Amino acid sequence: MSTYRVLGLMSGTSLDGLDMAYCHIWENDGKWNFSIKNTAEIDYSDEMREYLKNAIHLSEENHGQLHKDYGIWLGQQSKLFIDELDEEVDFIASHGHTSHHRPEDGVTFQLGDGQLLANTAGKQVVCDFRTKDVSLKGQGAPLVPIGDKLLFHEYDFCLNLGGISNISFDKDGQRIAYDIGLANMPLNYITHKMGLAYDENGKLARSGKLDQSLLQKLNSLPYYSLPYPKSTGYEWFTSEIVPLIEASKASNEDLLYTFIHHNCEQIAFAALKHKNNSKSNSKLLATGGGALNGFFMETLQTKLGSSIEVVVPNTTLIAYKEALVFALMGVLRLEGKNNVLKSVTGATSDSCSGEVFFPIEV
């Protein structure tokens, strides 16, 4: 039984920063196990956050430069982390940062040049986990469900609340997963206008009240009626959601309150629709930044009722589950095992995805 020592890197749509998780991953009797040994969250500078946020609007030349710059930056952060860790790291598994995601056009792009990352960190790198699936006519997302299936199979539902919300569950022997819709992206957009990074524990949202008109507009967005597999991202947020926020006359507190109720209604609708009715007490594992928002979690439990229990794990797993799963995906890639599921993405086949880079001294 060999143990892989992997540094997983994750940067999500909420643009909070870079999540780094040093993990031990091993297989025993056909079951995958993990231990998160060390973690770090590197905040983006205002300049870097704006650079990444506006990547979708950059010219091809400037986008290419950002791809290189961000790859070097990831390598620098990884090297600092590994040097301080003073433990052996076999390889780095990097999600990168999604700048373009239009799978219907065959387009997806993760910033963070893998070769430059490997060169700068001095370690083997596995990255770009989405492109192959999109070439197989898949959505290229969500990717985390392979980790849900292999590492968290005791839960009926796994919910991740990053910039957007996604859910995964087993149905008729297959793993199903899709992006439900919004999570932290609108909340952070509103708090940034207030000069705050986020609404700590949902305190501001808790003091607000419901804007019924806005809630109705949000719930009637066409995306929610699309069948899965489906995925969404920053483009949808800027085109469909931002105009609703900007047109609203509601206070910031009322906006936060309304968005949390909207998020929870959509999540509860998705989970209750797929609940196994023969099972009386289902469990939903909630991770990602939204799980740290007490008001969000309380509201979600209220919307779900007593038939599905919301389980909020320790803060390390909440914050670093995605980085852990990309570490696992890297392991599966190096073992030549499938790490992206067609039942989740809608691709023509499962795939073993990810590009592998070895450091080159230049």
Side-chain angles (χ1 to χ4, degrees), residues 30 43 93 156 170 251 362:
D43 291 335
D156 301 279
D170 273 338
S251 69
V362 289

Side-chain angles (χ1 to χ4, degrees), residues 24-49:
H24 285 187
I25 296 173
W26 67 98
E27 190 179 15
N28 189 21
D29 291 334
K31 289 189 175 178
W32 286 97
N33 302 274
F34 73 93
S35 176
I36 300 176
K37 296 293 186 182
N38 216 310
T39 62
E41 182 184 4
I42 312 299
D43 291 335
Y44 288 134
S45 65
D46 290 343
E47 185 184 14
M48 177 67 86
R49 186 178 290 109

Side-chain angles (χ1 to χ4, degrees), residues 2 4 26 34 48 62 65 70 81 85 113 127 154-155 163-164 180 214 218 228 239 268 270 276 337 348 359:
S2 61
Y4 290 89
W26 67 98
F34 73 93
M48 177 67 86
N62 289 339
Q65 189 59 51
Y70 189 60
F81 182 89
L85 194 64
D113 187 298
C127 63
E154 69 268 34
Y155 295 96
I164 56 178
I180 295 170
L214 176 60
L218 290 168
Y228 63 81
S239 65
N276 182 348
K337 295 179 178 176
T348 53

Side-chain angles (χ1 to χ4, degrees), residues 139-191:
Q139 290 277 315
L143 297 180
V144 170
I146 188 70
D148 296 340
K149 184 178 179 69
L150 298 180
L151 301 177
F152 302 102
H153 44 80
E154 69 268 34
Y155 295 96
D156 301 279
F157 299 96
C158 288
L159 174 71
N160 182 65
L161 299 168
I164 56 178
S165 56
N166 51 57
I167 195 166
S168 89
F169 50 91
D170 273 338
K171 189 169 188 175
D172 302 327
Q174 285 194 313
R175 197 74 188 180
I176 302 296
Y178 57 93
D179 290 346
I180 295 170
L182 298 166
N184 296 326
M185 222 184 290
L187 307 180
N188 291 348
Y189 181 88
I190 295 158
T191 55

Side-chain angles (χ1 to χ4, degrees), residues 63-301:
H63 186 269
Q65 189 59 51
L66 174 56
H67 184 48
K68 293 175 184 176
D69 292 344
Y70 189 60
I72 292 168
W73 185 84
L74 290 174
Q76 290 168 339
Q77 301 307 318
S78 298
K79 189 171 189 322
L80 286 169
F81 182 89
I82 291 167
D83 288 348
E84 211 169 283
L85 194 64
D86 200 28
E87 288 194 51
E88 199 54 48
V89 173
D90 297 323
F91 69 93
I92 296 167
S94 174
H95 168 264
H97 188 87
T98 307
S99 64
H100 294 71
H101 187 66
R102 299 192 312 279
E104 66 279 5
D105 299 328
V107 173
T108 189
F109 197 95
Q110 275 59 56
L111 293 162
D113 187 298
Q115 188 62 66
L116 292 175
L117 199 171
N119 295 354
T120 309
K123 293 289 177 184
Q124 182 182 359
V125 166
V126 185
C127 63
D128 192 11
F129 292 100
R130 297 185 194 274
T131 302
K132 187 172 184 179
D133 183 77
V134 170
S135 75
L136 294 168
K137 301 193 178 344
Q139 290 277 315
L143 297 180
V144 170
I146 188 70
D148 296 340
K149 184 178 179 69
L150 298 180
L151 301 177
F152 302 102
H153 44 80
E154 69 268 34
Y155 295 96
D156 301 279
F157 299 96
C158 288
L159 174 71
N160 182 65
L161 299 168
I164 56 178
S165 56
N166 51 57
I167 195 166
S168 89
F169 50 91
D170 273 338
K171 189 169 188 175
D172 302 327
Q174 285 194 313
R175 197 74 188 180
I176 302 296
Y178 57 93
D179 290 346
I180 295 170
L182 298 166
N184 296 326
M185 222 184 290
L187 307 180
N188 291 348
Y189 181 88
I190 295 158
T191 55
H192 285 166
K193 290 172 69 167
M194 302 169 75
L196 300 169
Y198 59 95
D199 179 12
E200 188 180 353
N201 208 30
K203 285 178 191 168
L204 293 169
R206 194 185 292 275
S207 69
K209 58 183 187 297
L210 193 66
D211 181 332
Q212 195 67 52
S213 170
L214 176 60
L215 181 66
Q216 196 173 348
K217 287 173 187 170
L218 290 168
N219 283 337
S220 61
L221 286 166
Y223 177 80
Y224 294 119
S225 58
L226 294 174
Y228 63 81
K230 60 180 178 176
S231 63
T232 189
Y234 191 66
E235 290 103 321
W236 178 65
F237 174 70
T238 54
S239 65
E240 299 282 342
I241 313 303
V242 170
L244 292 177
I245 296 173
E246 295 299 335
S248 175
K249 300 286 194 290
S251 69
N252 289 320
E253 288 79 5
D254 290 355
L255 285 171
L256 292 167
Y257 183 97
T258 302
F259 269 100
I260 282 183
H261 273 261
H262 165 67
N263 293 349
C264 292
E265 282 184 19
Q266 292 299 330
I267 293 163
F269 178 75
L272 291 167
K273 184 167 65 174
H274 299 294
K275 183 185 181 300
N276 182 348
N277 291 323
S278 63
K279 191 172 180 183
S280 57
N281 56 335
S282 296
K283 290 189 174 182
L284 178 148
L285 178 69
T287 56
L292 296 167
N293 184 321
F295 182 60
F296 201 147
M297 293 300 94
E298 288 168 32
T299 306
L300 179 58
Q301 186 64 78

